[in-house]
Amino acid sequence: EVQLVESGGGLVRPGGSLRLSCVASGFASNNYVIGWFRQAPAKEREAVSCISSTDDHRYYSDFAKGRFSISDDNGKKTVYLQMNTLEPEDTAVYSCGAVIGTTSCNMALYYGMKYWGKGTLVSVSS
């Protein structure tokens, strides 16, 4: 059974930083993509960033470019999202999603993630 477990959320002041982790397990394939998504209250879920297991494909949404950085743990199926210069508008539940068997973030973002974690809450407030 594929499982995704997020951690690292919390309360941070504007301008602060957080690093989120997503640990994936339950599959043997070395070809996969893991993406970060967020959903703020009363808003639809939106993609934040995505990385392929081969690390040759990364995606960032416009609001994440320059502030957020996605990385993985060299094939250990753990993906990190470093978030800097956080703003109150970044407050949301951040979840990771995965597709197994592809290394294309474009494909995964277009057709949708198959597996999801439960999410971790990020609150940015003074």
Side-chain angles (χ1 to χ4, degrees), residues 42-53:
K43 292 188 177 181
E44 292 188 357
R45 183 168 60 196
E46 59 184 347
V48 179
S49 185
C50 179
I51 190 169
S52 68
S53 58

Side-chain angles (χ1 to χ4, degrees), residues 51-58 70-72:
I51 190 169
S52 68
S53 58
T54 52
D55 202 21
D56 58 355
H57 189 193
R58 301 188 186 194
I70 194 168
S71 61
D72 69 359

Side-chain angles (χ1 to χ4, degrees), residues 32 53 55 71-80:
Y32 56 88
S53 58
D55 202 21
S71 61
D72 69 359
D73 197 2
N74 288 328
K76 294 182 180 179
K77 298 176 182 175
T78 299
V79 171
Y80 304 100

Side-chain angles (χ1 to χ4, degrees), residues 16-86:
S17 298
L18 281 175
R19 189 177 82 154
L20 307 182
S21 299
C22 172
V23 179
S25 63
F27 61 96
S29 176
N30 289 322
N31 293 327
Y32 56 88
V33 298
I34 292 178
W36 282 101
F37 299 77
R38 71 183 189 183
Q39 186 166 19
K43 292 188 177 181
E44 292 188 357
R45 183 168 60 196
E46 59 184 347
V48 179
S49 185
C50 179
I51 190 169
S52 68
S53 58
T54 52
D55 202 21
D56 58 355
H57 189 193
R58 301 188 186 194
Y59 163 86
Y60 293 98
S61 63
D62 287 344
F63 65 79
K65 290 176 183 176
R67 297 192 300 134
F68 297 179
S69 178
I70 194 168
S71 61
D72 69 359
D73 197 2
N74 288 328
K76 294 182 180 179
K77 298 176 182 175
T78 299
V79 171
Y80 304 100
L81 184 69
Q82 177 68 42
M83 304 187 296
N84 300 324
T85 320
L86 284 163

